[in-house]
């Protein structure tokens, strides 16, 4: 699907188009095939509480502003406005009980709710509509990054010596969406004790066109053809990252490149 958005689109239009793109990606059997392979998918969303359980722009904007102010005072204040909703493959045996600090529901991911859960996980407030998810508690679900932007969470596995691979776009772990501009809000160091975070260096990013990784602002700052050309160039450049990572693994030089993840002491 060749998606070429028009300027000034409504959240309704963007949401409909996003569902159409997702349908093309999943294909005719994507909803069931996801549960037949070895991968165990989990999708994080949040359910809005009180005034944030709406798509009306004025109360939604007021609620988001209140959530941002509460978050500045203390991250736990977000629990007054949102609850975590984790949609997980029912075959998964991972433990999520240690993800404390916020209300959370764990719900089974199914072929029926898969597209809705995925859509909710990227539903940015004010830009896309909140998503109603079949079989889930009543309400509107949105981007899980509002609480868990970069997953500052303890990762557990049955093997205490195992490692968690964390592919990322930056070397900084930012706990929540509202923390992006709060320089004092740091991830907890203990949560990353068994994490291997793989991210492009600042030097690599600085050499990309426009000196940055593509983002949603490109839809408003660039003409469509320029944006597509730019994104394709960046995709080509990321192939070099993949090749470099593979070389480190094959030559045994990986350990020499590992650096500690800096975070807030427990």
């Amino acid at each position: 699907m060749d998606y070429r958005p028009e300027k000034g689109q409504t959240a309704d239009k963007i949401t409909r188009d996003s569902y159409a793109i997702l349908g093309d990606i999943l294909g005719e059997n994507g909803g069931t095939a996801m549960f037949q392979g070895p991968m165990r998918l989990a999708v994080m969303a949040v359910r809005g509480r009180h005034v944030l359980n709406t798509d009306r722009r004025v109360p939604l904007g007021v609620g988001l502003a209140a959530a941002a102010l509460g978050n500045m005072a203390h991250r736990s204040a977000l629990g007054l406005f949102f609850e975590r909703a984790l949609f997980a493959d029912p075959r998964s045996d991972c433990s999520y009980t240690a993800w404390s600090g916020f209300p959370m529901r764990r719900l089974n991911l199914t072929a029926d709710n898969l597209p809705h859960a995925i859509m909710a996980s990227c539903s940015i407030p004010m830009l896309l509509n909140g998503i109603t998810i079949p079989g889930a508690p009543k309400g509107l679900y949105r981007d899980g990054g509002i609480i868990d932007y970069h997953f500052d969470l303890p990762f557990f596995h049955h093997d205490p010596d195992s490692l968690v691979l964390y592919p990322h776009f930056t070397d900084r772990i930012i706990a929540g969406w509202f923390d992006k501009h709060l320089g004092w809000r740091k991830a907890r160091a203990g949560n990353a004790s068994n994490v291997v975070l793989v991210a492009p260096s600042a030097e690599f990013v600085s050499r990309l066109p426009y000196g940055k990784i593509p983002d949603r602002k490109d839809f408003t700052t660039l003409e469509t053809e320029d944006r597509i050309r730019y994104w394709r160039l960046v995709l080509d450049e990321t192939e070099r990252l993949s090749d470099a990572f593979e070389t480190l693994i094959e030559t045994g030089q990986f350990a020499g490149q590992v650096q500690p993840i800096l975070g807030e002491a427990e």
Side-chain angles (χ1 to χ4, degrees):
M1 180 176 182
D2 187 5
Y3 179 58
R4 296 170 182 262
E6 302 171 1
K7 292 184 178 180
Q9 291 186 121
T10 64
D12 288 343
K13 177 70 161 57
I14 296 174
T15 303
R16 287 196 304 271
D17 288 346
S18 297
Y19 263 115
I21 293 170
L22 180 59
D24 281 353
I25 293 172
L26 291 176
E28 189 173 330
N29 299 314
T32 55
M34 185 66 69
F35 304 95
Q36 296 171 351
M39 187 172 72
R40 305 291 190 264
L41 179 65
V43 179
M44 181 69 86
V46 295
R47 186 175 71 139
R49 307 181 73 186
H50 314 303
V51 70
L52 286 168
N53 190 26
T54 181
D55 272 326
R56 291 187 296 155
R57 296 185 71 81
V58 172
L60 179 59
V62 171
L64 290 170
L69 288 172
N71 178 72
M72 286 184 68
H74 199 280
R75 176 164 153 75
S76 63
L78 287 178
L80 300 173
F81 302 92
F82 302 97
E83 69 172 14
R84 283 174 172 146
L86 180 68
F87 295 85
D89 189 319
R91 300 172 298 168
S92 174
D93 60 354
C94 290
S95 171
Y96 304 99
T97 57
W99 293 10
S100 59
F102 298 96
M104 185 175 84
R105 297 174 186 265
R106 178 176 173 177
L107 304 159
N108 281 340
L109 195 63
T110 68
D112 290 334
N113 67 26
L114 175 66
H116 306 289
I118 293 175
M119 276 297 303
S121 75
C122 63
S123 175
I124 301 172
M126 308 295 280
L127 295 183
L128 280 81
N129 291 339
I131 306 298
T132 301
I133 302 181
K138 184 179 179 181
L140 295 179
Y141 293 78
R142 304 182 191 277
D143 187 348
I146 293 172
I147 289 180
D148 298 300
Y149 188 49
H150 290 171
F151 287 112
D152 177 24
L153 298 167
F155 294 92
F156 294 95
H157 194 276
H158 298 306
D159 180 1
D161 297 323
S162 66
L163 296 175
V164 174
L165 181 63
Y166 194 154
H168 205 9
F169 64 87
T170 177
D171 59 359
R172 179 188 173 200
I173 296 178
I174 302 171
W177 189 43
F178 293 112
D179 296 331
K180 290 188 289 183
H181 304 295
L182 304 183
W184 68 86
R185 185 70 52 81
K186 291 182 170 56
R188 290 163 290 183
N191 284 344
S193 60
N194 66 333
V195 171
V196 177
L197 187 147
V198 180
S201 66
E203 180 185 2
F204 173 86
V205 174
S206 69
R207 293 200 303 265
L208 296 176
Y210 306 103
K212 69 178 187 65
I213 295 171
D215 57 51
R216 58 186 170 84
K217 293 180 181 178
D218 298 330
F219 285 97
T220 57
T221 59
L222 298 174
E223 294 298 326
T224 297
E225 293 300 332
D226 293 334
R227 176 180 56 80
I228 292 174
R229 187 181 307 110
Y230 162 38
W231 287 22
R232 286 176 174 166
L233 281 171
V234 172
L235 285 174
D236 290 341
E237 285 298 297
T238 57
E239 288 292 331
R240 296 198 300 111
L241 286 184
S242 176
D243 293 341
F245 184 71
E246 186 175 353
T247 298
L248 288 175
I249 298 297
E250 291 178 346
T251 59
Q253 301 178 46
F254 177 76
Q257 300 296 316
V258 174
Q259 302 176 18
I261 299 175
L262 300 179
E264 188 177 57
E266 299 299 309

